[in-house]
Amino acid sequence: MRALKVFLKFLEIEWGKTMAYRINFLLHNLSILLSDILSPLLAILIYHNTPGIPGWTLSQFLLFYGTNIFVWGLAGFFFLPMSWRTSWKVRIGLFDQILVRPIKPVLHLTLTSVDLDKIGEVILGLLIILLSGVKFDPIQLSMYLLFLGCGILVMYSLSLMLTSAAILFVRVKNIFHIIWVLGEFTEYPLSLYSAPFRFFFTFILPFGLVSFYPAYAFFGLLESSTILSLLLITALFFLLALKMFDFAIKRYTSAGG
Amino acid sequence: MKRWGLAKAIASNAMAYKLDFVLWAILHPLQIAVYYFLWVSVYKYGGLEYVAGYSLNNMITYYVLSIVVGALTWVGIEEEIEEDIVSGNMIQKMTKPMSVGEYFFFENIGYKLLAVPLIVVPTLLLGYLLFGAQLTSFPNLLLFSLFSLIAMVMNFLLSLTVGALAFWMKKIHSLVRLKRTAFFLLSGGLFPLELLPTGVRALFDLLPFKYLLYVPIKAYFGEVGVEHFLLSLGWVLFTYLCYKLIWRRAYKQFKGVGV
Amino acid sequence: MIIRVRELRKEFKTYKKEPGIIGSLKSLVRRRYKIKVAVDDISFDVKKGEFLGFIGPNGAGKSTTIKMLTGILTPTSGEAKVLGFVPWKQREKYVKHIGVIFGQKSQLWWDLPPLDTFHLLKEIYEIDEKEFEERLERLVKLLEVKDVQKIPVRNLSLGERMKCEFITALLHDPKVLFLDEPTIGLDVVAKENIRKFLMLMNKREKKTIILTTHDMSDVEELCKRVILIDKGKIIYDGPLKKLKEKFVENKLVEVEFSKEYKEIFLPEGCSLIYSSKYKAGIEVNLKKASVSSLITFLLNNFEVKDLSIKEPKIEEVIRKVYES
């Protein structure tokens, strides 16, 4: 398939580029890994000094947190960079080159956003999940994977939305900053927050799907009505993202960039 | 004085980015929310009055102050140094009557003048009103200001020292990020150091980084002594020497190589 | 007709904002705007294999027209068909058959060597492996970029970059080329090379080429037919020869002598515009004399160190067109 070929070719090129700066690559991964260790560190200390976080054993929390790192890492690896790279392209005037290619802009941008610096995070997330020590059965696993998929789709939708913002407004550092701070709320389970926050991160900006709901689904604590509504939210969020992107492209081609 | 003119210029220039700063004012206090919810549920769940010597309100106050002191001590110097070297501005700065260090110092004060109204005040306000942070006595407030000042100077010198590595390494983003995360952890930004097991705690105590955040916060609670003051000054002196040493090396290296 | 344009129109809204805080607040409530007509109901046709020059001053509407014909800008009204496609409606399918160069905006990936971009494009355009290798080799040879293609784009000179841009535009063997100010900022030698290359593409490979420029010498060398655009309207559409015959009356020849001449005598039809110690500017009235005859005259009668022929500016030609 052409999409796969384009992606692999770009990956190959990026790999060559990254390997030319090996030390930086290593340092970058190290710094990301260190900041990712912080929250589990605090969690471990909390369990060391107190009965712990309500509703979660330490290994359950680690599974939750590992999932968080894994999904953010995956998103950062495959498609989050699309947003700031597009912002840069639009600012310099390189965005037209996207429109002049025989490939849908959304596909073009998605396939050429890989950021190899995030590979460490993906691996770390996977490790934490595997080492969390939680036992599982096939049903739990399949629920978990289902919502993991939803979480990844939510992150992709978010990337598309940020990219649309970049195409429309060009200077979007502020929006990135807001998203980053809101992202910090994913480091701890949604169940800890008050109702308004839970609502916001479930229905408005479904960050809950990134790690909380997959982990919750894993422990079999979700009702079927909740499951259905979460799937629906994921689908709607994705459709919204696609519409926003379409709108951004239409605006750009009408206003001339 | 020309130097203060620079500080004022930076502050007024930055006001051009008004929207950015309104955002800062909102986003910084928002970061407290995560830790607020976390600790409230931990205390409630365990039916605890104290954790590692902190009551719930103490703990919340700790995190509010963590953000406040963090904002006061923040410097973005390393990136500037890297940029200046690449763009050639560094040469200009090196040949001015002000030393490079002085230049960055006064420029940084300009930013700090903004930080106080835009970050410190909203954070403290929301901390008291919304999250239940505690007020303290006036003498303790003075101690807090004193140790915060020391923290600012220390962090500034440390950042200048690390920033000098740009002369050799060219790209230092990742290193700087690593450094900031490490400092954040070691200075007690993530949690009060009392939470650490005794062996690890001893290690953290030996290092100078607790003076960047932990000790100023302790001062707010009135839990500092003369020894803290003297030791912190000792560390400031030490970092000053490091800064001087590495920059002397940098001047030599840079002037030798040229642009 | 490979290109058909009918009543093509593009209007832009420009928003006015008053300065200061009150202005910002006002603009939140109601935005005042003006409508600028960039392209004003233009119509023209292009045959297969033509080399058409779009000339006009800055802001005349050339780039806007090209953007619409390449599909990256949607018109306010009007129609256009290129190779049977409506560019802005069928963009992804259409774009496979055209090559585009925007003089100021690069098509190459900024921090990669051009060769990497070429390989990426091979996948995006789904070019057959063998075809790709052959065509790439041929283009690289023609444009002499064999060593250059492996250097990251940001380290290339403008001329080197431009040559690689041409490869990106031709890798997929398009039938039509749209070139928007491709020689801007290039030195004389680079321009010559590009022109030679374009001639080849047009004559040998029968590619239809639309070139916009405000450099008359580009047009002189390459285009038989020109469309003159000003303020969004077509002022002239026809052979370049006729345009020049009608409207270009004078050319300026600048001479630098190796000796000082007190008096400079000139043949008929040539008048001295200015002179300094070693230099002189001579205007040739094309109705009465020719530039080549003047040059021969100068070389025979004076010690000439250097000579240059100044083209009349497009703006002057347009002014003359208006005056007619």
Side-chain angles (χ1 to χ4, degrees):
Chain A
M1 231 190 73
R2 173 175 70 156
L4 188 63
K5 283 197 188 156
V6 174
F7 176 74
L8 288 175
K9 179 48 83 169
F10 188 75
L11 185 64
E12 181 192 324
I13 294 174
E14 283 290 301
W15 179 256
K17 223 175 35 147
T18 308
M19 283 303 105
Y21 295 97
R22 253 173 288 229
I23 301 179
N24 263 298
F25 175 67
L26 229 72
L27 272 176
H28 195 104
N29 269 289
L30 234 77
S31 70
I32 294 178
L33 293 184
L34 186 62
S35 38
D36 285 342
I37 296 278
L38 292 185
S39 280
L41 208 63
L42 176 56
I44 292 174
L45 287 174
I46 287 178
Y47 282 91
H48 179 77
N49 284 281
T50 76
I53 297 173
W56 302 81
T57 65
L58 182 57
S59 33
Q60 285 175 334
F61 179 81
L62 287 176
L63 177 79
F64 157 81
Y65 190 74
T67 311
N68 196 40
I69 296 292
F70 179 68
V71 175
W72 275 100
L74 221 61
F77 182 82
F78 280 110
F79 32 78
L80 267 178
M82 178 169 41
S83 39
W84 60 80
R85 287 188 188 180
T86 305
S87 164
W88 177 78
K89 282 200 172 117
V90 175
R91 231 181 328 128
I92 304 201
L94 291 177
F95 191 69
D96 285 346
Q97 72 176 231
I98 307 285
L99 296 172
V100 143
R101 303 285 172 228
I103 183 174
K104 277 192 180 314
V106 75
L107 214 57
H108 191 305
L109 291 172
T110 305
L111 295 171
T112 56
S113 310
V114 114
D115 181 4
L116 289 164
D117 284 337
K118 287 293 161 77
I119 196 128
E121 204 161 37
V122 177
I123 297 176
L124 179 69
L126 222 53
L127 272 171
I128 297 182
I129 294 173
L130 294 172
L131 294 175
S132 64
V134 175
K135 300 192 188 359
F136 53 85
D137 65 45
I139 299 181
Q140 288 177 312
L141 187 62
S142 37
M143 287 310 296
Y144 175 73
L145 289 173
L146 174 66
F147 283 101
L148 199 65
C150 290
I152 295 173
L153 192 56
V154 164
M155 290 304 277
Y156 179 62
S157 311
L158 180 67
S159 310
L160 279 183
M161 290 183 182
L162 291 173
T163 307
S164 308
I167 298 172
L168 286 169
F169 308 119
V170 191
R171 292 184 184 277
V172 285
K173 242 175 51 189
N174 291 327
I175 303 182
F176 291 168
H177 201 180
I178 298 175
I179 299 293
W180 182 71
V181 171
L182 290 176
E184 296 202 328
F185 281 83
T186 60
E187 289 181 20
Y188 297 98
L190 265 195
S191 48
L192 297 179
Y193 306 140
S194 61
F197 282 91
R198 288 203 305 269
F199 180 84
F200 181 81
F201 287 114
T202 307
F203 294 104
I204 310 229
L205 179 59
F207 268 157
L209 277 159
V210 167
S211 47
F212 176 69
Y213 288 112
Y216 225 49
F218 194 91
F219 305 121
L221 296 166
L222 283 182
E223 304 169 354
S224 30
S225 53
T226 322
I227 295 175
L228 283 172
S229 33
L230 287 174
L231 289 174
L232 189 63
I233 294 168
T234 310
L236 287 173
F237 197 66
F238 180 56
L239 284 172
L240 181 63
L242 287 177
K243 275 261 171 296
M244 274 184 74
F245 190 83
D246 265 339
F247 176 75
I249 295 285
K250 275 213 179 68
R251 256 306 182 82
Y252 186 89
T253 52
S254 142
Chain B
M1 273 170 71
K2 207 163 60 169
R3 287 154 169 71
W4 288 105
L6 175 62
K8 270 197 260 171
I10 298 290
S12 60
N13 237 338
M15 276 321 275
Y17 299 89
K18 299 180 203 99
L19 187 63
D20 292 15
F21 292 116
V22 168
L23 232 60
W24 279 17
I26 304 175
L27 288 179
H28 275 84
L30 193 62
Q31 292 176 295
I32 306 176
V34 182
Y35 296 101
Y36 171 79
F37 286 119
L38 176 66
W39 284 108
V40 162
S41 46
V42 168
Y43 274 81
K44 212 164 87 173
Y45 177 60
L48 304 165
E49 247 201 277
Y50 290 97
V51 172
Y54 290 78
S55 71
L56 178 58
N57 283 336
N58 288 154
M59 189 62 85
I60 293 171
T61 311
Y62 187 96
Y63 280 93
V64 172
L65 292 173
S66 168
I67 300 218
V68 167
V69 178
L72 286 172
T73 56
W74 167 263
V75 282
I77 286 181
E78 299 94 333
E79 288 91 346
E80 267 200 72
I81 294 178
E82 181 187 310
E83 254 187 71
D84 281 343
I85 294 176
V86 167
S87 68
N89 275 340
M90 185 56 76
I91 305 212
Q92 269 190 47
K93 288 188 178 158
M94 278 176 162
T95 52
K96 284 224 165 80
M98 265 195 278
S99 80
V100 181
E102 278 184 275
Y103 179 90
F104 280 123
F105 183 71
F106 285 97
E107 188 185 56
N108 192 244
I109 293 189
Y111 287 116
K112 298 224 196 295
L113 291 176
L114 281 170
V116 172
L118 290 170
I119 298 176
V120 173
V121 171
T123 305
L124 285 174
L125 227 59
L126 285 170
Y128 298 138
L129 298 173
L130 270 181
F131 297 115
Q134 302 166 307
L135 297 165
T136 191
S137 66
F138 188 68
N140 285 346
L141 208 55
L142 286 177
L143 282 174
F144 171 70
S145 310
L146 174 66
F147 279 96
S148 296
L149 204 65
I150 295 175
M152 281 192 259
V153 173
M154 195 187 286
N155 195 37
F156 177 77
L157 291 169
L158 282 168
S159 303
L160 264 186
T161 309
V162 171
L165 289 173
F167 285 102
W168 291 275
M169 284 180 65
K170 299 292 158 26
K171 282 192 184 249
I172 53 172
H173 298 283
S174 313
L175 185 67
V176 171
R177 203 194 142 135
L178 196 61
K179 160 235 169 201
R180 289 197 180 127
T181 312
F183 282 18
F184 181 67
L185 178 65
L186 295 167
S187 64
L190 184 65
F191 49 78
L193 297 182
E194 283 89 342
L195 284 177
L196 292 165
T198 22
V200 186
R201 174 75 203 270
L203 181 65
F204 275 53
D205 266 335
L206 286 174
L207 298 168
F209 305 109
K210 63 178 181 178
Y211 292 101
L212 291 176
L213 206 72
Y214 176 74
V215 171
I217 297 179
K218 280 279 145 186
Y220 187 88
F221 288 118
E223 291 168 30
V224 284
V226 179
E227 70 272 20
H228 289 110
F229 180 66
L230 293 172
L231 275 170
S232 65
L233 286 183
W235 279 114
V236 170
L237 192 63
F238 179 72
T239 47
Y240 182 75
L241 289 171
C242 291
Y243 146 68
K244 271 291 180 201
L245 261 165
I246 202 171
W247 274 85
R248 189 173 301 159
R249 271 286 195 80
Y251 269 95
K252 274 204 204 124
Q253 150 98 352
F254 195 57
K255 289 232 171 108
V257 171
V259 174
Chain C
M1 288 300 148
I2 206 170
I3 301 181
R4 271 184 53 120
V5 176
R6 294 283 178 273
E7 308 279 315
L8 200 60
R9 184 182 191 79
K10 182 62 186 172
E11 293 170 357
F12 287 113
K13 282 190 184 153
T14 48
Y15 291 96
K16 303 216 124 223
K17 195 187 88 139
E18 288 167 46
I21 303 180
I22 307 221
S24 308
L25 288 173
K26 270 197 198 170
S27 73
L28 278 175
V29 178
R30 188 178 20 135
R31 294 180 110 182
R32 285 239 182 94
Y33 60 86
K34 258 169 64 166
I35 296 192
K36 176 176 187 287
V37 181
V39 175
D40 200 342
D41 299 330
I42 62 173
S43 307
F44 61 93
D45 291 328
V46 181
K47 285 207 277 276
K48 177 164 191 261
E50 271 201 76
F51 201 138
L52 172 64
F54 245 77
I55 55 181
N58 282 326
K62 311 188 296 288
S63 296
T64 312
T65 308
I66 296 293
K67 282 187 181 172
M68 288 191 279
L69 291 178
T70 52
I72 69 175
L73 189 62
T74 45
T76 309
S77 65
E79 297 173 6
K81 270 220 167 139
V82 183
L83 295 165
F85 293 98
V86 179
W88 53 91
K89 287 213 178 118
Q90 299 161 283
R91 195 181 62 230
E92 282 136 38
K93 274 205 222 119
Y94 162 63
V95 162
K96 224 176 183 179
H97 307 280
I98 65 168
V100 188
I101 296 202
F102 296 111
Q104 306 279 34
K105 300 181 183 180
S106 178
Q107 306 260 330
L108 298 158
W109 232 277
W110 194 245
D111 48 357
L112 299 174
L115 188 58
D116 282 347
T117 301
F118 301 153
H119 275 106
L120 206 55
L121 290 178
K122 165 179 167 285
E123 301 300 341
I124 293 180
Y125 282 93
E126 296 181 286
I127 306 174
D128 170 63
E129 183 78 45
K130 237 179 93 185
E131 252 188 76
F132 172 75
E133 296 290 338
E134 279 175 12
R135 210 171 294 141
L136 182 62
E137 205 191 308
R138 192 161 48 89
L139 289 168
V140 165
K141 217 160 115 192
L142 269 173
L143 291 163
E144 296 171 338
V145 287
K146 189 145 189 254
D147 304 313
V148 157
Q149 61 178 338
K150 302 216 176 107
I151 304 174
V153 171
R154 54 186 149 78
N155 296 332
L156 295 176
S157 71
L158 184 60
E160 292 166 333
R161 204 197 86 202
M162 257 315 167
K163 289 199 231 175
C164 294
E165 301 275 354
F166 273 93
I167 298 186
T168 69
L170 288 158
L171 263 180
H172 52 288
D173 201 26
K175 300 200 188 67
V176 183
L177 280 181
F178 291 96
L179 310 172
D180 189 11
E181 311 266 11
T183 60
I184 203 170
L186 293 178
D187 63 70
V188 176
V189 177
K191 279 193 193 187
E192 232 355 90
N193 286 330
I194 298 282
R195 286 182 201 151
K196 274 209 210 90
F197 176 73
L198 288 177
M199 265 313 221
L200 211 67
M201 289 297 122
N202 178 242
K203 286 266 158 2
R204 211 168 68 184
E205 308 210 5
K206 307 272 191 274
K207 297 200 190 298
T208 312
I209 305 185
I210 316 289
L211 170 75
T212 75
T213 180
H214 63 283
D215 180 344
M216 271 295 252
S217 25
D218 278 347
V219 173
E220 290 250 27
E221 281 198 34
L222 300 167
C223 314
K224 283 224 190 71
R225 173 182 166 208
V226 290
I227 289 183
L228 179 52
I229 272 195
D230 189 29
K231 299 203 179 51
K233 279 191 163 8
I234 295 182
I235 310 235
Y236 174 82
D237 179 356
L240 176 61
K241 248 181 18 167
K242 277 225 189 97
L243 180 68
K244 288 177 66 184
E245 280 167 14
K246 275 174 92 171
F247 301 110
V248 176
E249 290 174 350
N250 303 308
K251 276 211 179 149
L252 182 68
V253 175
E254 292 185 335
V255 203
E256 196 181 335
F257 302 110
S258 7
K259 250 172 61 174
E260 214 183 316
Y261 291 98
K262 288 271 167 58
E263 229 197 273
I264 299 170
F265 47 95
L266 297 167
E268 241 215 82
C270 305
S271 38
L272 189 67
I273 299 293
Y274 67 83
S275 68
S276 61
K277 242 181 162 185
Y278 293 101
K279 294 192 181 162
I282 304 164
E283 191 178 76
V284 180
N285 186 330
L286 294 173
K287 288 202 171 86
K288 297 193 186 148
S290 73
V291 170
S292 44
S293 60
L294 171 68
I295 292 177
T296 319
F297 181 85
L298 288 171
L299 290 172
N300 284 339
N301 293 289
F302 299 90
E303 277 183 46
V304 174
K305 190 170 166 203
D306 196 9
L307 258 178
S308 67
I309 307 163
K310 285 277 183 289
E311 288 293 330
K313 291 226 162 46
I314 287 267
E315 287 78 4
E316 274 193 53
V317 180
I318 295 174
R319 219 182 343 116
K320 295 252 169 64
V321 173
Y322 274 128
E323 284 165 15
S324 72

